[in-house]
Amino acid sequence: MHPSLRRLLDMRELDLSLLAGGTPDRLAAPISWIHSSDLADPTPFLDAGQMVLTTGTQFDRESTSQTDYDRYVERLASHGIVGIGFGTEVVQGTPPELVTACERLGLPLFEVPYRVPFIAVIRAAADLLAEAAHARDTWALNAQRAISFAALKPDATAAILKELSRQMRRFVALVDARGTFALAFDEASAMPALATEPAHQRILHEAERLIGRSQRSSSTMSDESGQVNLQTLGRRDALRGVLVIAGMTPLDGADQTVVTSVVALTGLALEQNRELSRARGLLRSGLLQSLLEGNIALVRRIVRQMGGELPAEPIRFVAFDPPALARDALLNDLEARDVAGNVFFAASEGRVLVGVSEEDARAVAEGLARMAGVAAGMSEPALWSETGTATKQAVQALERALASDAEASVVVFSDVAERGLAALLPHADAVEIARALLRPVRDHDAENGTDLIGDVKVWLEHHGQWDPAARALGIHRHTLKNRVALVEKLIGRPLATVDARTNLWLALRVE
């Protein structure tokens, strides 16, 4: 326990007597050291948290007024001094004016008997400080041992942080590289104020700032609710996240020692998890290839040995093409689902392919797309032996979803099939070819104020029949023939054949 005036008062050998300012919180305040001084203003030589002993030679009983005593006590109190000890019978007894001033300001004042030297009080405080330091060192050693044992558990990162929260009795969290809370523990309800959304956002904002610097760093945030310490994890230019520790009081030396070891252990655990995930990812890619080759029994046996199970047939495949950060979040979520045997997933050609039972497919696809903020394509129901067809359908549906420019949308292959073959054409090459074909016509419309594009589109919609198309446009059939002839001249090809008309119609669809 730290030295406090309460503990000094309890030492019978010191025989100290409390005279004023003895509130419980004042008596329990920690003392960092004790100095003796008879200066009228000793504050330049003292630090906050210390206590001062005086014999009162700075006070002239005949000329010192109550105001002088008040000012003396005010200087000490405002400087953070936690108590005054008055040595009696050296010059005089404890002045009643000093008692009054200390009582008014709530600063503890105690009397030191003449037979007790100041050095005895100082030595007693020093012994308590040494005892407290030894206790903290012992605690730090035991805490490091407990945290080291936690690191041996299967989910090492979570076990380490949970044990750290328990040992330090503080809020502990891990903010991942995406800037979100990946783990959080508050084994002692250390900071209820952190439960608020604004507090979370302040922490996340600071963590994102540290991650954005791409170098090992730390920072501290303090307010009336307590102190939050943040420390990056991982190597420079390869940060894995930020360790967050919060409590009502600042970290002391023992705390820092434990935190330093946790930073090293957590960083190592995160690196090991990354390597393990990479190895499992390579294995899944191999299993997907085996599924494509029809080795269903082999894949099922290996998945069972990994502690999982292939989802029940019929299944649907869902395809995603997320950016790097969203990809990590998606794979982490899939890892959690895979433990429960709900999905099979693998990376292939930069995409993430997920096999899930038909019953759960829609909910899983929409949930993953929404969580990662990306589009998804979903196949028709299939058997595992039809993995090749199902994955191709999912990729084609994904391409359609990406072309729609809608975030977190899910397109099913049946929706693409219903729109016909033209729905598969809007890719960059097809669009450029269509634009090149129609550019002379659009340029002519822009220069002459005509709408040849609209006229020829209506004509094609009426299967090249002149009279129905002309009636729909409200013009004479010969006028329509002249306009179509002009379009033929502009694009440099006749529209008398089915192939020519089909090409023009597709160009109008995909441009």
Side-chain angles (χ1 to χ4, degrees):
M1 294 176 62
H2 62 261
S4 65
L5 181 53
R6 176 76 277 164
R7 295 194 70 187
L8 293 174
L9 291 172
D10 289 341
M11 292 183 175
R12 293 183 178 180
E13 64 272 23
L14 296 180
D15 196 23
L16 306 179
S17 302
L18 183 67
L19 301 179
T23 58
D25 58 330
R26 293 279 191 170
L27 295 180
I31 300 171
S32 60
W33 193 246
I34 300 178
H35 287 280
S36 63
S37 174
D38 286 346
L39 293 175
D41 182 11
T43 55
F45 310 100
L46 302 174
D47 290 329
Q50 295 180 347
M51 197 160 60
V52 64
L53 302 176
T54 182
T55 61
T57 57
Q58 69 271 42
F59 304 122
D60 185 341
R61 179 65 68 89
E62 295 181 359
S63 62
T64 303
S65 66
Q66 181 65 57
T67 301
D68 295 327
Y69 283 106
D70 290 343
R71 289 174 179 170
Y72 173 77
V73 175
E74 286 172 357
R75 283 194 297 270
L76 295 179
S78 62
H79 193 67
I81 300 304
V82 297
I84 302 173
F86 196 90
T88 62
E89 301 178 30
V90 175
V91 176
Q92 57 187 2
T94 306
E97 296 88 350
L98 182 60
V99 176
T100 301
C102 288
E103 188 66 40
R104 182 176 65 83
L105 291 174
L107 184 65
L109 172 66
F110 60 94
E111 204 168 60
V112 183
Y114 180 77
R115 63 178 180 79
V116 178
F118 282 175
I119 190 63
V121 180
I122 295 172
R123 185 181 296 113
D127 290 343
L128 291 175
L129 283 169
E131 179 185 329
H134 177 71
R136 290 298 291 163
D137 289 342
T138 301
W139 168 83
L141 183 62
N142 291 334
Q144 288 175 301
R145 183 182 294 112
I147 291 169
S148 297
F149 283 130
L152 300 176
K153 295 182 179 179
D155 190 354
T157 302
I160 289 170
L161 299 186
K162 185 175 183 179
E163 185 63 27
L164 178 63
S165 176
R166 190 181 73 84
Q167 291 289 337
M168 297 185 69
R169 302 189 64 78
R170 292 173 182 262
F171 171 86
V172 174
L174 171 64
V175 177
D176 61 24
R178 296 180 298 116
T180 60
F181 281 110
L183 295 168
F185 301 97
D186 194 0
E187 295 297 294
S189 298
M191 286 192 72
L194 287 181
T196 64
E197 185 63 22
H200 280 179
Q201 291 305 316
R202 286 196 301 272
I203 293 174
L204 291 177
H205 178 75
E206 179 63 11
E208 289 176 1
R209 186 185 71 83
L210 295 178
I211 293 172
R213 297 174 62 185
S214 298
Q215 60 185 14
R216 293 177 61 84
S217 57
S218 62
S219 68
T220 301
M221 301 188 301
S222 300
D223 57 27
E224 63 280 358
S225 64
Q227 185 178 94
V228 180
N229 299 88
L230 299 96
Q231 172 69 57
T232 57
L233 299 171
R235 304 187 311 273
R236 180 178 179 178
D237 297 326
L239 298 180
R240 301 291 170 231
V242 174
L243 174 65
V244 179
I245 302 174
M248 300 301 296
T249 58
L251 301 179
D252 63 13
D255 292 326
Q256 294 286 5
T257 299
V258 174
V259 171
T260 299
S261 65
V262 166
V263 168
L265 284 172
T266 306
L268 178 61
L270 291 173
E271 287 293 336
Q272 289 176 334
N273 287 344
R274 182 170 178 247
E275 292 302 321
L276 178 59
S277 296
R278 182 180 299 162
R280 291 173 69 92
L282 292 174
L283 176 58
R284 287 195 181 91
S285 296
L287 293 177
L288 176 61
Q289 186 60 41
S290 294
L291 287 173
L292 293 173
E293 295 171 358
N295 298 321
I296 314 303
L298 173 64
V299 173
R300 194 181 300 278
R301 186 165 59 251
I302 293 175
V303 169
R304 285 175 178 170
Q305 290 174 348
M306 293 171 63
E309 189 71 50
L310 286 179
E313 296 175 324
I315 51 97
R316 290 180 187 256
F317 266 91
V318 185
F320 301 89
D321 190 11
L325 288 179
R327 178 190 176 95
D328 291 342
L330 184 62
L331 292 175
N332 288 337
D333 190 280
L334 287 168
E335 285 278 5
R337 294 172 184 263
D338 185 38
V339 172
N342 295 331
V343 298
F344 169 84
F345 69 97
S348 175
E349 298 180 352
R351 303 186 186 93
V352 177
L353 296 172
V354 182
V356 60
S357 65
E358 181 182 11
E359 180 182 0
D360 302 326
R362 172 64 72 171
V364 170
E366 291 179 348
L368 291 173
R370 184 168 52 254
M371 182 273 298
V374 296
M378 186 161 63
S379 73
E380 291 296 288
L383 302 177
W384 285 109
S385 59
E386 301 169 320
T387 295
T389 299
T391 53
K392 289 178 181 178
Q393 290 179 353
V395 170
Q396 289 176 339
L398 172 63
E399 291 171 349
R400 186 62 199 169
L402 294 173
S404 68
D405 295 327
E407 291 186 359
S409 63
V410 177
V411 173
V412 183
F413 181 76
S414 59
D415 297 335
V416 178
E418 288 175 1
R419 298 185 61 181
L421 294 175
L424 301 176
L425 295 178
H427 296 290
D429 293 342
V431 171
E432 290 303 319
I433 293 172
R435 288 174 178 171
L437 176 64
L438 298 175
R439 186 175 293 114
V441 184
R442 291 203 178 279
D443 290 345
H444 181 278
D445 284 344
E447 293 173 3
N448 298 278
T450 57
D451 187 19
L452 294 178
I453 289 290
D455 294 337
V456 74
K457 186 175 182 180
V458 171
W459 177 64
L460 291 172
E461 288 174 346
H462 287 80
H463 312 291
Q465 298 182 37
W466 299 107
D467 289 334
R471 284 195 297 271
L473 291 168
I475 59 177
H476 195 275
R477 63 193 301 268
H478 292 300
T479 301
L480 177 58
K481 284 185 177 182
N482 291 334
R483 293 180 181 178
V484 172
L486 179 56
V487 170
E488 291 177 323
K489 181 179 179 181
L490 291 170
I491 65 175
R493 66 193 67 183
L495 297 175
T497 65
V498 173
D499 285 345
R501 294 179 183 180
T502 300
N503 284 334
L504 181 60
W505 172 247
L506 292 174
L508 290 168
R509 288 289 303 274
V510 304
E511 183 197 22

